[in-house]
Amino acid sequence: MGSVSRVQAQQMHFEAALPLRSGASLRDYTLAYETYGELNADKSNAVLVCHALNASHHVAGVYADANGHDDRKTEGWWDNLIGPGKPLDTRRFFVIGVNNPGSCFGSTGPAQPNPDPAAGGRPYGADFPVVTVEDWVDAQARLLDRLGITQLAAVIGGSLGGMQALSWTLQYPTRVRHALVIASAPNLSAQNIAFNEVARRAIITDPEFHDGHYYAHGVVPKRGLRVARMIGHITYLSDDVMDAKFGRNLKADELAYSTQDIEFQIESYLRYQGDKFSEYFDANTYLLITRALDYFDPAREHGGDLTVALAKATAKFLVVSFTTDWRFSPQRSREIVKALVDNNRSVSYAEIDAPHGHDAFLLDDPRYHGVVRAYLERVAAETSK
Amino acid sequence: MGSVSRVQAQQMHFEAALPLRSGASLRDYTLAYETYGELNADKSNAVLVCHALNASHHVAGVYADANGHDDRKTEGWWDNLIGPGKPLDTRRFFVIGVNNPGSCFGSTGPAQPNPDPAAGGRPYGADFPVVTVEDWVDAQARLLDRLGITQLAAVIGGSLGGMQALSWTLQYPTRVRHALVIASAPNLSAQNIAFNEVARRAIITDPEFHDGHYYAHGVVPKRGLRVARMIGHITYLSDDVMDAKFGRNLKADELAYSTQDIEFQIESYLRYQGDKFSEYFDANTYLLITRALDYFDPAREHGGDLTVALAKATAKFLVVSFTTDWRFSPQRSREIVKALVDNNRSVSYAEIDAPHGHDAFLLDDPRYHGVVRAYLERVAAETSK
């Protein structure tokens, strides 16, 4: 098994405004994307990869460093899953990673200039329109139009990416043959929304947030971003893996008896993750993406009935959950499975016994990867050469 | 069943410094406390109630309002459990509630003047010494000395209060006949510490924290306190009760498509709780109490062996946990039970099937209160009249 190796990000500009679920629209915009593998003659082997909160179009491979060598530190976020001979095999599939609008990794987002003449060339900031999972899927569909791909062999995503995969089957049922929905949920629970809201309040009440127009002040609401990321990390890891990895291990040999200094290694880990995140992630993007998570709820317009909501889907499904994922627990995946089965849809379901919590969908677990590989081998077999 | 009705807080001053586990000591200090019921002739019917993070010595009854009437809004935090005819029956027991040093509800704490002459009469602020569960128990024991109580019929507490009850049996084994340890744990897990650390960072990085000396600046780090309290509330409630109480219910009829405005009722609830808390709770106290939680770990000095640690205890125990408590899960209570059983101690254990999560220990659940009532009736029967 190899890596797709050296890759290059591409950009595509769209002149036509994107109408959004909010009623607003996104004026002309750019999407960053990458592709791996070759599109076959009848364009039937495309697989779209949808990203979650802290990720991008850079799904696999590495970029070149300043000296023209591979920069291993730039490895794509799902490189363990995608590549020649890997579960999502780039020798058979043409894989597309796309960055969603509102992100801070290349597609048009709040840090970029607001095209509204009244904005005078300043960044969108908090005026970037609120985007939803459905809006992202629309933007992805336009990209596929331009690439000449009328139907996807499969759409795949984990967590928020899984919500996009599910939404594809509802918004464009005839354009997707298979959906792989991993560590996801049909909507957020009250507790999920609660964690998002605390993170948002930490950012918005940071004095350096400046109502979302901090760019003009030359500052970043890093305090809020740090707290947001620390909360996130707690929910991504299982209680068990945190105990196994950090437990009550101390930073030093002796207790310092301090409320401000680091005593426990878990504190050190969280502070490090928070600091790192606050260096590169955009605060407005964090608000937008957590809101998109909150809003996703295909059953809403059907009186909360997920079975009715999923009746539109005609794709075949692989749904995967992880036993120790308490953010999007197996129970939430089973709700999706049940609604699909109620509709007599073809659905495979795997509940992977993994200790890593929600993060498991990003890790190289042999049982998990085995299930994805086997499923995609069947997809490849039915896809014309 | 009645209420203990009108009560008055009392104060006791201690001239002798309290040596602390950190090596520092607390100079002369005051403890706020309340008592309900009558101490019997041989002083054998005293029950000490230990409080958790956001509570005080005001355990039962109400205070008078400005017009001399009962002010129902001032009801003690465990009034549903304690009173004439209630599970902890004040017709049989002399009940003592005591506020711990470091608190912001009456006992000496960081908002009060630092007696160190170098401080020039300013509040302790961040210079208040770090206090531990063991230090609090020492302070409580001194209060009992002054009240002439050599042995408690029982010590009772929930959550952090349960840790104090457990610590009583280890620090003063001969001074306590029964310990009621409710919704507690033998130490915090890595995840528990992680949540505390995020809350602390939110407070400490609030620009209005001023290194813990915000009193002098006439400000309060309210942003940090709000975030801390919101995080706390998420961990106090079960996922299920949050879904039952709030679910995905919207504040308005329609979505507003906003990252900053309230969309969901759970957001409204959390913001309200955060705002309220930030009005009355002291930020330095929050840091001190969460640190005391982090540090508590009687097994630490025994190589992590809880059975060895609890060998000192001679009291009889009632341990209670709640099925949906994910902060201090039943598994953590069972660790205490197992260590006591390993030592051939008398221990009753009840795992209450309650939907309310950690907060259940404060609520009036008939099965829970029935267990406590039955246990305390046996304690009363063995206590001389």
Side-chain angles (χ1 to χ4, degrees):
Chain A
M1 289 197 297
S3 169
V4 296
S5 194
R6 189 77 57 83
V7 298
Q8 270 194 312
Q10 303 178 64
Q11 293 207 318
M12 195 174 284
H13 188 72
F14 296 81
E15 293 292 342
L18 183 72
L20 305 172
R21 292 304 180 282
S22 67
S25 68
L26 185 62
R27 290 176 58 145
D28 67 297
Y29 59 97
T30 297
L31 294 184
Y33 70 103
E34 290 181 11
T35 69
Y36 324 110
E38 299 294 328
L39 190 60
N40 62 7
D42 63 358
K43 301 187 175 182
S44 66
N45 70 334
V47 174
L48 179 70
V49 180
C50 304
H51 71 77
L53 199 154
N54 175 34
S56 71
H57 52 289
H58 183 42
V59 179
V62 295
Y63 296 138
D65 66 16
N67 300 318
H69 301 116
D70 286 356
D71 180 359
R72 282 286 141 206
K73 289 195 299 293
T74 65
E75 197 166 77
W77 58 271
W78 228 349
D79 191 77
N80 59 27
L81 191 84
I82 298 167
K86 290 183 179 172
L88 175 42
D89 191 342
T90 51
R91 297 172 311 193
R92 302 166 110 174
F93 292 107
F94 176 66
V95 177
I96 307 154
V98 56
N99 190 216
N100 289 322
S103 174
C104 51
F105 293 126
S107 292
T108 299
Q112 295 181 352
N114 186 341
D116 185 336
R122 287 191 303 273
Y124 274 107
D127 297 326
F128 195 89
V130 167
V131 280
T132 64
V133 166
E134 290 80 5
D135 298 330
W136 287 334
V137 168
D138 286 343
Q140 293 160 8
R142 284 188 175 187
L143 177 70
L144 297 189
D145 292 343
R146 294 271 286 271
L147 295 175
I149 297 163
T150 51
Q151 191 186 53
L152 290 165
V155 58
I156 179 172
S159 190
L160 174 57
M163 292 175 169
Q164 292 160 61
L166 178 58
S167 209
W168 257 100
T169 70
L170 306 177
Q171 292 175 246
Y172 300 98
T174 62
R175 294 190 69 172
V176 51
R177 295 201 297 280
H178 294 271
L180 287 77
V181 178
I182 301 169
S184 196
N187 61 30
L188 295 197
S189 68
Q191 190 189 70
N192 293 147
I193 296 173
F195 279 121
N196 281 348
E197 172 67 1
V198 181
R200 280 192 298 265
R201 295 315 294 169
I203 289 171
I204 291 167
T205 64
D206 184 326
E208 302 200 310
F209 181 64
H210 294 290
D211 287 327
H213 293 286
Y214 43 88
Y215 316 100
H217 293 78
V219 293
V220 166
K222 284 194 180 181
R223 300 179 194 91
L225 278 168
R226 282 192 202 103
V227 167
R229 184 60 164 177
M230 291 168 86
I231 293 170
H233 262 279
I234 298 176
T235 69
Y236 304 152
L237 298 181
S238 72
D239 198 9
D240 283 351
V241 85
M242 244 193 210
D243 270 332
K245 209 167 165 181
F246 305 104
R248 297 182 49 82
N249 297 339
L250 298 176
K251 183 108 191 292
D253 290 341
E254 299 279 325
L255 290 176
Y257 290 102
S258 161
T259 58
Q260 302 199 29
D261 297 340
I262 289 173
E263 291 276 33
F264 297 92
Q265 287 182 7
I266 180 66
E267 298 175 314
S268 180
Y269 169 79
L270 286 178
R271 288 199 202 180
Y272 173 77
Q273 296 293 343
D275 287 346
K276 206 172 61 167
F277 189 70
S278 74
E279 294 293 331
Y280 71 83
F281 207 84
D282 182 70
N284 283 311
T285 292
Y286 202 91
L287 303 183
L288 289 168
I289 299 191
T290 55
R291 232 2 168 187
L293 274 160
D294 291 355
Y295 286 138
F296 183 68
D297 186 10
R300 187 197 296 130
E301 61 193 63
H302 303 283
D305 190 328
L306 190 63
T307 297
V308 175
L310 299 199
K312 272 176 273 183
T314 54
K316 294 175 180 170
F317 281 79
L318 172 64
V319 177
V320 180
S321 71
F322 301 94
T323 49
T324 58
D325 183 352
W326 62 279
R327 186 165 190 252
F328 293 155
S329 70
Q331 185 200 323
R332 305 309 317 275
S333 282
R334 276 186 246 120
E335 291 174 34
I336 298 172
V337 171
K338 181 187 178 301
L340 290 167
V341 169
D342 285 347
N343 284 298
N344 287 311
R345 295 296 176 271
S346 168
V347 51
S348 302
Y349 175 55
E351 198 166 304
I352 308 290
D353 191 8
H356 305 99
H358 188 61
D359 262 358
F361 88 87
L362 294 167
L363 303 178
D364 186 2
D365 180 288
R367 286 161 299 186
Y368 159 44
H369 276 194
V371 165
V372 174
R373 177 186 294 277
Y375 190 88
L376 287 171
E377 274 170 4
R378 292 202 301 275
V379 176
E382 71 180 33
T383 302
S384 46
K385 300 300 169 299
Chain B
M1 290 197 296
S3 170
V4 297
S5 195
R6 188 75 59 81
V7 299
Q8 271 195 311
Q10 303 177 63
Q11 292 209 319
M12 196 175 283
H13 188 72
F14 296 81
E15 293 291 342
L18 183 73
L20 304 171
R21 293 303 181 281
S22 67
S25 68
L26 184 62
R27 290 176 57 147
D28 68 298
Y29 59 99
T30 297
L31 294 184
Y33 69 103
E34 290 181 11
T35 68
Y36 325 110
E38 299 293 326
L39 190 59
N40 62 7
D42 64 356
K43 301 187 173 181
S44 65
N45 70 335
V47 175
L48 179 70
V49 181
C50 304
H51 71 77
L53 198 155
N54 175 35
S56 71
H57 52 290
H58 182 43
V59 179
V62 295
Y63 295 138
D65 65 17
N67 300 317
H69 302 116
D70 285 357
D71 179 0
R72 280 287 142 206
K73 290 195 299 292
T74 65
E75 198 167 78
W77 58 270
W78 228 351
D79 191 78
N80 60 26
L81 191 85
I82 298 166
K86 289 182 178 171
L88 175 43
D89 191 342
T90 50
R91 296 171 312 193
R92 300 165 112 174
F93 292 107
F94 177 66
V95 177
I96 306 154
V98 57
N99 189 216
N100 290 322
S103 175
C104 51
F105 293 126
S107 292
T108 300
Q112 295 180 351
N114 186 342
D116 185 335
R122 287 191 303 274
Y124 273 107
D127 298 326
F128 196 89
V130 167
V131 280
T132 64
V133 166
E134 289 80 5
D135 298 330
W136 287 334
V137 168
D138 286 343
Q140 292 161 7
R142 284 188 175 186
L143 176 69
L144 297 189
D145 292 343
R146 294 272 285 273
L147 296 174
I149 297 162
T150 52
Q151 191 186 53
L152 290 165
V155 59
I156 180 172
S159 190
L160 174 58
M163 292 175 170
Q164 293 161 60
L166 178 58
S167 208
W168 258 98
T169 70
L170 306 177
Q171 292 175 246
Y172 300 99
T174 61
R175 294 189 70 172
V176 51
R177 296 201 296 280
H178 295 271
L180 288 78
V181 178
I182 301 169
S184 195
N187 62 28
L188 294 198
S189 68
Q191 190 190 69
N192 293 147
I193 296 172
F195 279 121
N196 281 348
E197 172 67 359
V198 181
R200 280 192 297 265
R201 295 315 294 170
I203 290 170
I204 291 167
T205 63
D206 184 328
E208 302 201 311
F209 182 66
H210 293 290
D211 288 327
H213 293 285
Y214 43 88
Y215 317 101
H217 293 79
V219 292
V220 166
K222 284 193 180 181
R223 301 179 194 91
L225 277 168
R226 284 192 201 104
V227 167
R229 184 58 163 177
M230 290 169 87
I231 295 170
H233 263 278
I234 298 176
T235 68
Y236 304 153
L237 297 182
S238 71
D239 199 9
D240 284 351
V241 84
M242 245 193 209
D243 270 332
K245 210 168 164 181
F246 304 104
R248 297 182 50 83
N249 297 338
L250 298 175
K251 183 107 190 295
D253 289 340
E254 299 281 326
L255 290 176
Y257 290 102
S258 163
T259 59
Q260 301 199 30
D261 297 341
I262 289 173
E263 291 275 33
F264 297 92
Q265 288 183 8
I266 179 68
E267 298 175 314
S268 180
Y269 170 80
L270 286 178
R271 289 199 201 180
Y272 173 77
Q273 295 294 343
D275 287 346
K276 207 173 63 170
F277 189 71
S278 73
E279 294 293 331
Y280 70 83
F281 207 86
D282 182 71
N284 283 311
T285 292
Y286 202 91
L287 304 182
L288 288 168
I289 298 191
T290 55
R291 233 0 169 188
L293 272 160
D294 291 354
Y295 286 138
F296 182 68
D297 186 10
R300 186 196 299 132
E301 60 193 63
H302 302 284
D305 190 329
L306 190 63
T307 297
V308 175
L310 300 198
K312 272 178 271 183
T314 54
K316 293 174 179 170
F317 281 80
L318 172 64
V319 177
V320 179
S321 71
F322 300 94
T323 47
T324 57
D325 183 352
W326 62 279
R327 186 166 189 251
F328 294 154
S329 72
Q331 184 198 325
R332 305 309 318 274
S333 281
R334 277 185 245 120
E335 290 175 35
I336 298 173
V337 171
K338 181 188 178 300
L340 291 168
V341 169
D342 285 347
N343 283 298
N344 286 314
R345 294 297 176 270
S346 167
V347 50
S348 301
Y349 175 57
E351 199 166 303
I352 308 290
D353 190 9
H356 306 96
H358 188 61
D359 262 0
F361 87 89
L362 294 167
L363 302 178
D364 186 1
D365 180 289
R367 286 159 299 186
Y368 159 43
H369 276 194
V371 165
V372 173
R373 177 186 294 278
Y375 190 89
L376 287 171
E377 275 170 3
R378 292 202 302 275
V379 176
E382 72 179 32
T383 302
S384 45
K385 301 297 171 296

